[in-house]
């Protein structure tokens, strides 16, 4: 935010950081259980809210509908991890000298220009780290925990296998079906895919380092 030629930041940014980071202090098990109760079609908070606002005829079976279950799980995963990225990028932006923005504003630059000409280039290493961490989360144990706890079926992944994820598939093959060798092979392949993803991101995102 600009005041004259001074950069004052976003009003209430400290409060926003606390709100976004709050899920990070909770165990992923607690988060999954909270949302499991919220998604309950009979007594959950979401359907109760819909009834309260006169939408009682719209009562989805959130985790029991194959078309909705995966979306519901994705919402939980995004909500539980966004705080890390808020802190990551906030720390990166705090390290950028304010003089750069003040000089750009004096030259008549707008918010769009300062973002693409100053903020993004100086945060490029942080962007790379964020992409890599996002890939690790998507292929890691956090998705396993959320799906295992929230979804229906003998060992999660339902309904109709609509929410199955690779870590959960490895678990099912190893401990439910007794195919330890097959599960180990998939686990090693998952590790290689994660490493390959990180290498590709580093390769494609390589650019000249900007010093300030």
């Amino acid at each position: 935010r600009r005041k004259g030629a001074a950069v004052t930041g976003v009003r209430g940014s400290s409060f926003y950081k606390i709100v976004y980071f709050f899920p990070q202090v909770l165990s992923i098990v607690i988060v999954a259980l909270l949302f499991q109760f919220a998604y309950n079609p009979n007594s959950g908070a979401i359907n109760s809210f819909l009834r309260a606002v006169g939408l009682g005829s719209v009562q989805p079976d959130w985790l029991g509908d194959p078309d909705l279950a995966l979306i519901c799980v994705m919402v939980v995963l995004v909500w539980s991890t966004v705080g890390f990225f808020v802190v990551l990028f906030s720390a990166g932006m705090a390290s950028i000298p304010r003089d750069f923005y003040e000089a750009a504003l004096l030259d008549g630059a707008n918010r769009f220009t300062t973002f693409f000409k100053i903020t993004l280039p100086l945060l490029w290493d942080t962007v790379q780290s964020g992409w890599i961490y996002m890939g690790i989360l998507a292929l890691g144990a956090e998705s396993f925990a959320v799906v295992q706890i929230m979804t229906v079926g003998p060992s999660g992944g339902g309904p109709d296998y609509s929410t199955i994820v690779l870590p959960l598939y490895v678990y099912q093959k190893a401990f439910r079906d007794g195919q330890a060798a097959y599960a180990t092979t998939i686990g090693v392949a998952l590790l290689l895919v994660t490493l390959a993803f990180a290498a590709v991101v580093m390769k494609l995102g390589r650019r000249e380092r900007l010093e300030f």
Side-chain angles (χ1 to χ4, degrees):
R1 190 165 61 90
R2 155 180 16 189
K3 184 178 181 180
V7 179
T8 58
V10 179
R11 181 179 300 175
S13 59
S14 298
F15 172 76
Y16 297 143
K17 290 176 186 177
I18 294 173
V19 171
Y20 286 126
F21 190 72
F22 177 72
Q24 292 292 120
V25 304
L26 298 175
S27 167
I28 190 62
V29 175
I30 295 175
V31 171
L33 288 173
L34 288 174
F35 274 88
Q36 185 185 47
F37 293 139
Y39 284 132
N40 187 291
N42 299 317
S43 58
I46 299 177
N47 280 2
S48 297
F49 172 78
L50 293 176
R51 287 193 293 268
V53 297
L55 296 175
S57 59
V58 183
Q59 298 287 291
D61 186 4
W62 299 100
L63 296 175
D65 187 339
D67 295 328
L68 295 176
L70 183 60
I71 297 175
C72 294
V73 170
M74 290 171 61
V75 168
V76 178
L77 287 171
V78 170
W79 185 80
S80 64
T81 57
V82 69
F84 171 82
F85 294 98
V86 170
V87 173
L88 178 67
F89 282 94
S90 296
M93 293 183 66
S95 67
I96 300 176
R98 185 172 297 182
D99 296 346
F100 291 1
Y101 293 102
E102 293 176 349
L105 293 176
L106 287 172
D107 288 338
N110 55 29
R111 185 180 294 272
F112 182 85
T113 303
T114 56
F115 175 78
F116 284 100
K117 297 297 184 180
I118 298 176
T119 306
L120 186 58
L122 295 178
L123 281 180
W124 193 249
D125 288 344
T126 305
V127 172
Q128 273 193 323
S129 301
W131 274 111
I132 294 172
Y133 186 71
M134 190 183 302
I136 293 173
L137 285 176
L139 298 171
E142 194 153 332
S143 59
F144 160 78
V146 172
V147 173
Q148 174 76 350
I149 294 170
M150 291 181 58
T151 57
V152 298
S155 55
D160 196 24
Y161 299 100
S162 60
T163 57
I164 197 76
V165 292
L166 272 176
L168 179 61
Y169 184 71
V170 172
Y171 170 83
Q172 290 176 346
K173 289 300 177 182
F175 298 101
R176 186 193 65 184
D177 302 336
Q179 301 179 18
Y182 180 51
T184 302
T185 302
I186 300 175
V188 173
L190 186 60
L191 172 62
L192 295 177
V193 169
T194 304
L195 293 176
F197 173 80
V200 169
V201 170
M202 295 293 290
K203 180 69 174 179
L204 295 179
R206 182 177 299 170
R207 59 168 59 183
E208 183 179 354
R209 176 180 290 272
L210 299 176
E211 301 289 348
F212 56 90

